[in-house]
Amino acid sequence: MNKLKLIEWDKKYIWHPFTQMKLWLEEEPTIFIEGKDCFLKDIDGKWYLDGVSSLWVNIHGHRRPEIDEALKAQIDKIAHSTLLGASNETSIILAKKLGDLLSKKLPWGEPLTKIFYSDNGSTAVEIAMKIAYQFWLNQGIKDKDTFISLKEGYHGDTIGAVSVGGIELFHQIYKPLLNKSIQAPAPYCYRCELNLNYPSCRLACLSEMEKILTQNHERIIAVIVEPIVQCAGGIIVWPQDYLKGLRKLCNKYNILLIADEVATGFGRTGKMFACEHEKVTPDIICLSKGITNGYLPLAVTVTNEKIFNAFLGELEERKTFYHGHSYTGNPLACAAAIANLEIFEKDKTVEKLSKKIELLRKKLKEISKLNHVGEIRQKGMIAGIEIVKDKLTKETFPYKEQTGWKIVKSARKYGVWLRPLGDIIVIMPPLVISEKNLERLLDVIKLCIIEITS
Ligand SMILES: *Cc1c(COP(=O)(O)O)cnc(C)c1O
């Protein structure tokens, strides 16, 4: 297809997400037309290393033959049928696989085995919130109407998910539309406002959380968090034992814990699920991004039997979970997810990450010495590089300078594709990335930080 035509139509017809369209309309967009392994090809034929997994969804590379084959086979049977009043083969098989996997990986509490399907991370969170609310209501507990979430948290862009979001730039505008929630401080130790009077950021944040719980626990439905790494908030890696502490507080005050592992799930942090790092089993887990290797939109909200059982009753008791989507349990998406999970088993993807995680650590250490690198945060194969104007005072560059953007734009010249979070350079490559390509990714990032900040 003609490039100039495509650009014209893009500008005429597409409203891009999270994008100031005035700026977009002034620039020439990159248009991708092909992918292979960890690379993306644009319409000019230039290849880029996909440093952020096509927005955190790709795990095993683009055009994985196993997933391509599974989809072709499924297309020859059926593309879509419904889970409303019927079931379908692939969604049953996937549910069994996910239930088994979650019970095996997170064995420290009630096993997570009840799979509710939807098609994106935000919706998985909405479902978790509605289930949590109704779980109490179905037991006759009526005064619970508030969630606790964390500052710098991100759970998606639908209204419920925004209600528990804590990123001021994204969420402040919509405040008049939102549901009730209380924000607790995030254990963002590099910029922790609390730890002045405490021995550590972790203790300060947990103590603040307990204060909120003591005062409000009767109206709290659940605590919702992105366990271990708050990704969209700036790759905020929690201090050790914060999640464990949170689980203890939820138990003490009889509050549900919702783990939004939409970004951290499926191996990114060096374990299949981030909660494994601290031996925590949440009451509800949300999974999406990596679930189909970026092939098709799919998400699941998974609960334990205790929560599920609270929804059982006679019709007139109205304990039914009144929720569903047109594409719930889409057979094609489920087929991609099954093939994706089979690759994890066959290739031992997560078990084999340790060398790459160490290499990433080593390369990040070099970068941490640069003048304008304030902090480096890494968990497994996720990393964030916080760029600052002044390393000593942690002063940031002015927002309108767009330093992060300049760095990632410069990386394009060297064939590396990235997307920053403000002035935090995000590194989240497909887990299959080779050591050679991982080194190249980090070398280019280092070069571009130097180029833009000095
Ligand atoms: C991306 C993300 C979401 C939202 O998922 P979408 O599929 O973009 O709606 C929710 N929670 C977390 C932690 C995410 O990273």
Side-chain angles (χ1 to χ4, degrees):
M1 178 83 216
N2 178 282
K3 179 182 162 187
L4 292 176
K5 263 273 167 284
L6 286 175
I7 292 177
E8 185 194 321
W9 290 349
D10 176 285
K11 292 190 175 181
K12 186 150 183 214
Y13 296 110
I14 298 188
W15 189 342
H16 286 265
F18 279 100
T19 301
Q20 177 40 260
M21 291 304 289
K22 178 174 180 290
L23 295 179
W24 181 271
L25 295 173
E26 291 162 3
E27 291 185 12
E28 182 174 314
T30 303
I31 300 174
F32 291 124
I33 55 167
E34 205 181 309
K36 182 78 194 150
D37 184 38
C38 298
F39 291 87
L40 299 162
K41 187 173 98 176
D42 75 10
I43 196 157
D44 296 319
K46 184 179 164 86
W47 286 91
Y48 300 84
L49 183 55
D50 187 356
V52 285
S53 298
S54 292
L55 244 296
W56 314 354
V57 297
N58 197 288
I59 303 277
H60 296 114
H62 298 277
R63 275 166 64 203
R64 266 304 281 233
E66 299 93 324
I67 304 177
D68 292 0
E69 289 309 317
L71 282 175
K72 287 172 191 165
Q74 184 59 40
I75 279 180
D76 283 337
K77 289 189 195 160
I78 188 170
H80 184 67
S81 63
T82 183
L83 286 192
L84 280 84
S87 204
N88 73 63
E89 188 181 9
T90 47
S91 73
I92 296 172
I93 294 169
L94 178 60
K96 154 95 166 89
K97 266 185 121 52
L98 283 170
D100 287 353
L101 180 67
L102 284 161
S103 319
K104 185 170 146 226
K105 296 291 182 185
L106 302 172
W108 306 282
E110 297 265 334
L112 295 163
T113 53
K114 296 291 181 180
I115 318 285
F116 197 99
Y117 283 110
S118 60
D119 41 65
N120 63 76
S122 310
T123 312
V125 167
E126 300 281 335
I127 290 164
M129 292 171 73
K130 280 176 73 176
I131 288 178
Y133 168 72
Q134 198 178 342
F135 166 70
W136 299 112
L137 197 66
N138 281 356
Q139 297 171 82
I141 300 167
K142 293 199 176 104
D143 32 9
K144 285 182 179 284
D145 60 358
T146 307
F147 289 88
I148 297 179
S149 57
L150 293 187
K151 286 193 181 140
E152 313 306 332
Y154 177 82
H155 300 286
D157 297 326
T158 50
I159 296 293
V162 169
S163 303
V164 289
I167 303 177
E168 200 166 304
L169 180 67
F170 302 167
H171 300 140
Q172 186 63 26
I173 302 169
Y174 306 104
K175 208 154 192 180
L177 305 180
L178 306 182
N179 312 323
K180 287 182 202 162
S181 104
I182 300 175
Q183 261 181 29
Y188 182 6
C189 302
Y190 180 63
R191 297 189 185 277
C192 184
E193 322 131 41
L194 295 170
N195 68 352
L196 304 167
N197 311 317
Y198 285 82
S200 80
C201 168
R202 172 180 61 93
L203 291 177
C205 289
L206 284 173
S207 152
E208 200 63 25
M209 178 65 81
E210 180 147 25
K211 213 189 283 173
I212 295 171
L213 282 167
T214 319
Q215 288 163 5
N216 302 283
H217 65 95
E218 275 164 4
R219 62 186 178 106
I220 301 299
I221 300 163
V223 176
I224 177 165
V225 295
E226 298 157 86
I228 309 288
V229 191
Q230 291 179 276
C231 288
I235 314 293
I236 297 164
V237 179
W238 288 355
Q240 201 178 334
D241 290 342
Y242 175 81
L243 177 61
K244 199 172 247 174
L246 196 57
R247 176 74 266 187
K248 277 199 191 126
L249 286 177
C250 288
N251 290 349
K252 182 171 165 187
Y253 291 91
N254 193 24
I255 304 289
L256 298 177
L257 177 63
I258 302 173
D260 175 358
E261 291 227 29
V262 168
T264 52
F266 300 104
R268 293 264 179 225
T269 66
K271 305 254 187 207
M272 197 62 172
F273 304 107
C275 285
E276 288 175 55
H277 289 283
E278 301 207 343
K279 299 189 165 41
V280 160
T281 306
D283 301 296
I284 305 178
I285 195 167
C286 305
L287 301 170
S288 183
K289 290 191 168 96
I291 196 168
T292 64
N293 196 44
Y295 270 64
L296 284 160
L298 182 70
V300 290
T301 307
V302 191
T303 79
N304 57 39
E305 293 233 350
K306 191 175 141 211
I307 293 175
F308 175 83
N309 288 339
F311 288 73
L312 303 179
E314 300 309 320
L315 265 186
E316 59 275 17
E317 288 181 83
R318 306 216 172 187
K319 289 183 172 177
T320 307
F321 186 46
Y322 296 102
H323 192 107
H325 295 282
S326 315
Y327 284 91
T328 297
N330 176 258
L332 266 182
C334 290
I338 293 167
N340 187 38
L341 289 177
E342 282 169 356
I343 299 174
F344 271 107
E345 291 161 23
K346 172 172 70 89
D347 288 2
K348 305 220 175 310
T349 313
V350 178
E351 293 82 344
K352 282 188 193 154
L353 283 177
S354 53
K355 258 180 97 180
K356 282 187 258 191
I357 292 170
E358 276 319 302
L359 176 65
L360 179 57
R361 199 180 312 282
K362 189 181 120 220
K363 301 296 289 181
L364 286 169
K365 207 163 173 197
E366 285 173 28
I367 293 177
S368 72
K369 295 181 186 124
L370 299 179
N371 276 337
H372 290 280
V373 171
E375 193 186 41
I376 300 263
R377 299 184 281 273
Q378 180 197 2
K379 193 73 189 179
M381 292 294 282
I382 302 177
I385 302 171
E386 184 155 345
I387 307 293
V388 292
K389 189 167 174 205
D390 189 321
K391 204 167 171 129
L392 271 179
T393 64
K394 305 180 184 179
E395 186 193 345
T396 56
F397 282 106
Y399 174 63
K400 69 173 194 317
E401 276 187 30
Q402 300 275 290
T403 312
W405 265 111
K406 285 182 188 153
I407 292 166
V408 309
K409 280 209 170 146
S410 162
R412 293 179 194 174
K413 290 184 307 210
Y414 305 102
V416 165
W417 189 265
L418 295 166
R419 183 177 169 88
L421 290 159
D423 287 347
I424 292 149
I425 308 302
V426 177
I427 300 166
M428 209 180 300
L431 300 184
V432 283
I433 190 170
S434 68
E435 288 178 43
K436 191 172 127 261
N437 285 329
L438 187 59
E439 273 200 91
R440 192 176 136 223
L441 174 64
L442 274 290
D443 287 339
V444 167
I445 289 172
K446 184 178 175 188
L447 185 74
C448 295
I449 293 175
I450 295 170
E451 194 182 296
I452 298 299
T453 60
S454 57

